[in-house]
Amino acid sequence: MTFPTYRWGWAPEGLATRRQLALRGLTPGRQPIAAEIVWRYRRRDGVTRPTRLAYLYRTDLAVPKRPATPAQLAALARAMRVRRTCPTCRRDIGYCLPHHWTACLDCQDTADQRHDTEHDDPQTCAAATAA
Ligand SMILES: [Zn+2]
């Protein structure tokens, strides 16, 4: 299957990238790729990046994005609740915990205070942390 290649800014009206469609609440649907656009861009330091490429779809064949089903929304809500739950205090902390955090800010504060009072000697402290 072949389709025309345009340079950035030279594509005819009525074509859009997947991202441009998404901004209008549309997806390409089952239509084939209508064209591709290629572009190069020069970074501020003068290095020319490799050619970039994006596929274009016909906007008149694009279909509205299907709204999420109740089951999908429920699954998403469950996933978000898990991410908002502190593994240490088991509370819903109201914000998503970054993946590498093992405790919410409250728990970290408490741990830091305990840390300060229990280990004045940095050597003991390091050993305790490593253990
Ligand atoms: Zn916590």
Side-chain angles (χ1 to χ4, degrees):
M1 195 200 122
T2 57
F3 34 79
T5 302
Y6 298 100
R7 276 172 51 205
W8 181 257
W10 290 76
E13 288 288 310
L15 296 179
T17 63
R18 185 177 283 275
R19 186 180 290 257
Q20 287 166 342
L21 288 176
L23 288 175
R24 288 188 251 169
L26 300 168
T27 70
R30 295 179 182 280
Q31 66 170 295
I33 293 162
E36 63 181 8
I37 46 171
V38 294
W39 70 95
R40 280 169 180 274
Y41 67 91
R42 196 178 284 271
R43 284 197 327 210
R44 219 173 303 178
D45 56 14
V47 177
T48 304
R49 308 286 292 165
T51 306
R52 305 286 302 273
L53 180 140
Y55 295 122
L56 295 175
Y57 301 91
R58 284 172 56 179
T59 50
D60 59 336
L61 293 180
V63 293
K65 260 188 196 166
R66 216 169 346 122
T69 65
Q72 286 172 323
L73 290 175
L76 185 65
R78 265 197 307 279
M80 294 308 279
R81 195 157 54 238
V82 168
R83 289 201 55 195
R84 287 198 318 256
T85 303
C86 168
T88 303
C89 64
R90 294 266 141 220
R91 285 180 311 153
D92 184 336
I93 50 177
Y95 55 86
C96 282
L97 216 56
H99 284 300
H100 58 276
W101 285 20
T102 53
C104 68
L105 284 173
D106 285 345
C107 289
Q108 290 182 22
D109 279 354
T110 318
D112 281 349
Q113 281 158 19
R114 202 164 48 232
H115 195 83
D116 289 345
T117 49
E118 279 180 12
H119 310 293
D120 289 330
D121 177 12
Q123 296 265 298
T124 322
C125 179
T129 316

